[in-house]
Structures are given as C-alpha cells and as structure tokens.
Amino acid sequence: MDNKSGKPVLAIIVPCYNEQEVLPETAKELSGALQQLISEQIIDERSILLFVDDGSSDNTWSLIEKLHTENPSVFSGIKLSGNRGHQNALLCGLLAVKDHAALSFDAAISIDADLQDDIGVIGKMIEKYRTGCEIVYGVRSNRKTDSFFKRSTAQSFYRFMRFLGVDIVYNHADFRLMGRNALEALAEYSEVNLFLRGIIPLLGFKTGIEYYTRAERPAGTSKYPLGKMLQFALEGITSFSVKPLRLITLLGVLLFAVSVAMIVYFFVRYFSGYTISGWASIACSLWGIGGLILLSIGIVGEYIGKIYLEAKRRPRYHVERFLFMQERNNYEQH
Ligand code: UDP
Ligand code: MG
C-alpha cells in the first residue's frame, strides 16, 4: 500500500565498515535529523535508523549494539557474517526494510556512514517522494572536496559508462530514496555481481533529483582505496554493457582489413622487383597484434568470469545478528 500522501514510515540505511571513528557522530546527526522530521510531521514517528555492519573488524558493531540498547525505537542494526562490500551491505539493508513485516516501511534512504552526504537534503527527498516520485537521487552539485585524482577518475568513469550505453545518473553515488514499489522491484534482481547505481535506473518509476554539496569525511579513512575503486568500476562496466566485446569484434575486423591491405601492398612490391625488407615492421606487428589478442582474451575472460560467478548463485550475504525493536518475520536470506 502506498502512503505517499500521509506521513511515510522511513528507514535510513547506513552501511558501515570499520567506522568506529565516525559512527557516534553520524548516529547523533542522523537521529537528530530524524527527530526533527518527525516533529515537523514530515515522517511517521515509527521511522528508524538502520546500521548494517559489513563485517567490521573494529568496534563498529558494539557501538551499534550500544545505540540500540540506549534507544531501541530509533536505532536498529544488522550484522553481516563477514565483509561483503558496500553494495551488498546496502542491499541487505534495503531488502530487510522491505521484508520487515511488523513495520511496513514506505520508503528507505541509503546514506554513507561518513556524513559526506548532506543530511539536510533528506527532508527535500521526502517532499519529492510525497509528490509522487518513487526514487529520488541525491546528486553532487560539484566535486570540490575530492582530490584531483579521485575527481578526474570518477568523472571519466561516468563518461565511459555513458559511452558504453549504460544509463547511470551523473555524479550520483548511493545516497537515494526508494519507495516501497521500487524496493519490491529491486528485490527481483538476483544478480550476484551487484552494481546498484546501474540497476536502479532500470527499475523505471517516476524519479526525482536533489542536488547537494558533498562534504569531506570528518573522521576515519576512505574504505575505497584505489584497487577497490578500480574493481568497482570494472564491475559496473562488465555488469551492464557488452559493448567492450563488440569493440573487440570491431578491432578484429579492422586489423583484418589492415592485413589484407598489407598483403596487397607486398605483392605489388614483389612484382615490381623490390625484395621484401624490413624485419622491424614484422616484429612490431607481431608484438602489437599479440598484445591486442591477449587483451581481447582478457576482456572476454572478464565476461566468462561473470557468468561463472552468476551461475553459482551463491548468496550475496549472510546475516549474523538482527537488532530490530519490532520482531522480524518472514525475513529470508538473499
Ligand atoms: N563500506 C562498506 N563495506 C565496504 C566498504 C565500504 O559497507 O567494504 C561503507 C563505508 O562504511 C561507508 C560507505 O560504504 O559508509 C562508503 O565508503 P567510503 O566513505 O569509505 O567511500 P568513499 O566516500 O571514499 O568513496
Ligand atoms: Mg565516503
């Protein structure tokens, strides 16, 4: 049942991986914002904050437990059995909210634990939701707080994705509101290689955008080092586009055309009396083409690897503990 006209029951979902430095501050800020929205009659008073601990090795979970004990009606928690990555932790939170039988949530907002996203926008997101948007994207109006390197790599990633024909929202990370209908639709996507930013635009529905400026991380360090970032980008590309495979085919056709031209050229030279000289050109093409073949096999291999992982249908996460005030019913593992 949609409750767009009334006060929606909201869950704010926060994935946390080794966030002990910033979590107390985040909990304070977010619960403050939640209380404010409740007192302004924008959201229902049953709205909650849900922390998903993505297998942290520091004190993150004990902090969440403490928050829940102090104020169970506001703070809920889910502990995953191990580190499954940001996207899986997020998905776990979203699906848990959708499946929560005792409280029928109307909408969920996902936000990072590090307070980089502007929590002042949450109210505006709800506003958009109430006027009929099922999904509201939080979009960064600029990237001033990023390092030059992160800014340029991120921007070229978005451009490249667009070039490959993948519909992703420019400068939108995972700060977004999703209504119940969108969550139900999301649950039907069972892929193991999860790239939520690519899936959400596929859901359809009426969407809206809220712009905000992204702040710097107040404490702790980024949990996305370069290696993880590259892996994430590759995930996004290979999960949503087969264009690289087509480019390989195109390259093959192109190289074949070049070789035909070369054969014709050498024949002409042979019959016009020149001896065939130039081992350099042969050596260069040998290395060049050899390299391209290996690269192509690598790209094809990436896709085969994807199929391999998808074919196994392994669960995307396991839940170790639930801390919900209301009893959870019918919660399944996804
Ligand atoms: N995160 C997670 N699991 C991971 C890595 C990160 O749940 O394996 C969470 C992290 O706690 C944070 C969010 O994902 O809430 C975004 O991470 P971070 O702020 O480090 O990324 P950045 O903003 O630097 O891209
Ligand atoms: Mg961050």
Side-chain angles (χ1 to χ4, degrees):
M1 267 283 286
D2 267 355
N3 185 21
K4 284 208 169 65
S5 48
K7 287 184 292 180
V9 184
L10 176 76
I12 299 182
I13 298 166
V14 191
C16 309
Y17 177 56
N18 291 345
E19 298 286 10
Q20 64 178 16
E21 288 93 358
V22 79
L23 199 62
E25 175 74 11
T26 307
K28 200 171 117 231
E29 297 268 333
L30 279 176
S31 59
L34 202 75
Q35 295 306 337
Q36 170 105 26
L37 291 169
I38 291 172
S39 62
E40 285 171 3
Q41 308 279 323
I42 295 174
I43 54 175
D44 191 281
E45 72 264 8
R46 288 168 296 165
S47 300
I48 61 155
L49 281 174
L50 168 60
F51 293 104
V52 184
D53 177 16
D54 185 19
S56 300
S57 50
D58 64 357
N59 284 325
T60 299
W61 181 247
S62 44
L63 286 173
I64 296 172
E65 275 182 321
K66 192 163 146 264
L67 287 166
H68 177 73
T69 321
E70 283 166 4
N71 200 345
S73 61
V74 173
F75 299 109
S76 300
I78 294 178
K79 180 175 166 53
L80 298 189
S81 61
N83 181 236
R84 293 304 186 107
H86 180 201
Q87 300 288 294
N88 286 314
L90 205 58
L91 182 79
C92 169
L94 292 170
L95 296 184
V97 159
K98 176 187 84 68
D99 291 337
H100 198 296
L103 260 186
S104 71
F105 287 101
D106 299 300
I109 290 181
S110 49
I111 188 166
D112 287 352
D114 55 13
L115 294 176
Q116 283 188 281
D117 304 317
D118 183 3
I119 54 177
V121 173
I122 293 177
K124 293 188 201 147
M125 284 179 158
I126 309 273
E127 208 58 47
K128 281 238 158 81
Y129 168 78
R130 288 171 93 176
T131 57
C133 289
E134 189 62 26
I135 300 169
V136 185
Y137 297 106
V139 172
R140 305 170 63 165
S141 46
N142 63 58
R143 282 186 168 261
K144 282 196 195 115
T145 52
D146 276 352
S147 68
F148 172 74
F149 180 72
K150 183 143 190 169
R151 188 165 57 224
S152 42
T153 46
Q155 248 146 25
S156 25
F157 171 67
Y158 284 106
R159 293 224 177 87
F160 188 56
M161 287 295 273
R162 280 282 170 87
F163 163 73
L164 294 176
V166 187
D167 180 20
I168 57 171
V169 180
Y170 193 64
N171 270 349
H172 159 68
D174 283 300
F175 181 30
R176 77 178 81 82
L177 176 146
M178 294 176 76
R180 168 158 285 276
N181 292 335
L183 291 176
E184 305 257 351
L186 177 67
E188 287 174 34
Y189 288 72
S190 56
E191 51 213 85
V192 179
N193 299 286
L194 200 62
F195 187 71
L196 285 172
R197 274 167 234 190
I199 298 177
I200 312 288
L202 297 179
L203 302 179
F205 298 108
K206 186 174 173 206
T207 58
I209 287 182
E210 270 308 326
Y211 291 94
Y212 69 98
T213 337
R214 203 171 203 225
E216 299 216 34
R217 210 179 223 280
T221 51
S222 170
K223 306 300 176 295
Y224 269 103
L226 182 63
K228 244 188 188 172
M229 229 162 75
L230 286 176
Q231 203 182 330
F232 187 56
L234 198 65
E235 188 77 59
I237 294 166
T238 49
S239 294
F240 283 91
S241 174
V242 289
K243 224 170 178 174
L245 293 175
R246 290 203 192 116
L247 291 179
I248 291 176
T249 317
L250 199 71
L251 193 71
V253 172
L254 222 75
L255 285 182
F256 182 70
V258 171
S259 73
V260 170
M262 267 162 105
I263 288 169
V264 172
Y265 172 72
F266 287 132
F267 262 115
V268 172
R269 281 188 44 130
Y270 181 74
F271 287 115
S272 53
Y274 291 105
T275 45
I276 297 173
S277 65
W279 62 270
S281 58
I282 293 177
C284 286
S285 34
L286 207 73
W287 281 89
I289 293 176
L292 284 176
I293 290 174
L294 282 183
L295 179 74
S296 307
I297 294 176
I299 295 177
V300 176
E302 275 297 322
Y303 284 90
I304 295 178
K306 278 266 138 82
I307 300 169
Y308 167 71
L309 288 174
E310 292 291 346
K312 286 199 275 200
R313 296 252 130 264
R314 285 191 177 154
R316 292 172 283 189
Y317 51 81
H318 299 288
V319 173
E320 192 175 313
R321 291 279 315 275
F322 271 96
L323 291 178
F324 271 113
M325 191 177 73
Q326 281 80 8
E327 205 188 323
R328 70 176 175 95
N329 294 323
N330 307 329
Y331 185 71
E332 295 155 20
Q333 213 107 80
H334 289 273

